[in-house]
Structure formats: C-alpha cells, structure tokens
Amino acid sequence: MLRRAVVRCSGVVQGVGFRPFVYRVAVSQGLAGYVRNLGDAGVEVVVEGEEEAVNAFLRRLREEKPPLISYEELSVEWAPPLGLAAFRIEGSVKEASAGGFSNPPPDIATCDECLRELFTPGGRRFLYPFTVCSSCGPRFTIIVDLPYDRVRTSMVDFPMCEDCAREYHDPLDRRHHAEPTCCWRCGPQMKLIELSGEEVACDDPLREAAKLIG
Ligand SMILES: [Zn+2]
Ligand SMILES: [Zn+2]
C-alpha cells in the first residue's frame, strides 16, 4: 500500500549533512518526496512510497545517521499520498516549526578527506586554507540567521565558481549542499595587513605571518 509520512526532526540537524543523507536514503529506497530546513533549525522530511520502503527509510534515518547528526525529537505523521514523482532537496522555509529544541551546529574540524585534498599537489584545493565539505568546516561562526543556507551565512559574499557549484548540486558528491564550500577561485583569500592597514606584498601570507611572530 502507498503511504505518505511527514517526519519532523529536531536536535542538531542543520549544517551537518542531514539533507544529503536523507536524500541518499530516500532515493535508495525508491521514495518520492522532499526534505527542507525549517526556521527553528529543525528539518521536515516528506516521503511517499510503498509502506515497507517508508518503514525501512524511517529505520535507516535512525540507524545510519552520520555521527554529527543528533536527534532530540523525530515525530512521524501518516497521511494519504499526494502522488509525488521524485525526491528533492527543497528550499528552506523560515516560519515552519519542527517542535522540540534544535541547535545550529558548532564549527567542525577539517575532516580526513578534506585534509587529503588540502595536501594533494595539483588538486584544485591544494593548500587552500578554507577547504570544507558537508562533514566539516565553519558553521556557527558563519551563520547569520536560520534556516541554514549559504545566503544566510557570511559566504553570501562569495558566489560559487562553476566547479564548486557542480559539486554542490551533485547528490553523489560529498559537497552536496555543503553551504560554505569554496576554492581558490571563488572563496575567501588570505592577506597579511600591517597595523597601518597597508597590505604586505608576499606570496604566502600564512608563512610570512608565522615568520614575523617567530
Ligand atoms: Zn571535509
Ligand atoms: Zn570554487
């Protein structure tokens, strides 16, 4: 029998790769529906499909969640299916409430995969200091408002280049919906600035600064 489940999640569920995780599980179960961030840092998930597949999805939501995600509440309401055709990550909504209590995530230390990329000569993020993905990088520091989306972070001033945008929109990429993603071409750059406000001309501001402070 076809069923529709409306799942509201609270806890730490925004900015921790939750939407890409939900997307992967829903698609692998052959479900239609959507996931979207809510204004109180919660997330709403709607899935439609065979009852068995919906139940498997709900089980996997708990059992396979990546470590950064923590649920405070996960409520499920059943409803008649509306005949949705595919699963999508939808734009966030400001007002809706997930119930329970949700927190924006803290900043997260660079993950092993990003570290590998950072130190791979020839890669497009070789030694780029702001290398991040949907499992790591700044969150709390850059969030201006909720729901958590790039437009409501300090990254709004750095439009993604086409390579970063491709990764961001690719459901199979680990930067799928990684809001702060960037690279040498499109992201913030480092400068060394004198107390007087004058920029110090140098190739590597980080090394130069390290030299100056001995
Ligand atoms: Zn990472
Ligand atoms: Zn880029």
Side-chain angles (χ1 to χ4, degrees), residues 109-115 131-137 174-175:
T110 312
C111 73
D112 289 345
E113 276 180 278
C114 284
L115 281 177
T131 295
V132 300
C133 72
S134 39
S135 302
C136 76
R174 70 191 168 85
R175 293 199 169 88

Side-chain angles (χ1 to χ4, degrees), residues 124-125 160-161 163-164 182-183 185-187:
R124 67 185 197 88
R125 289 191 178 85
M160 280 182 272
C161 68
D163 288 331
C164 286
C182 56
C183 70
R185 255 176 83 197
C186 64

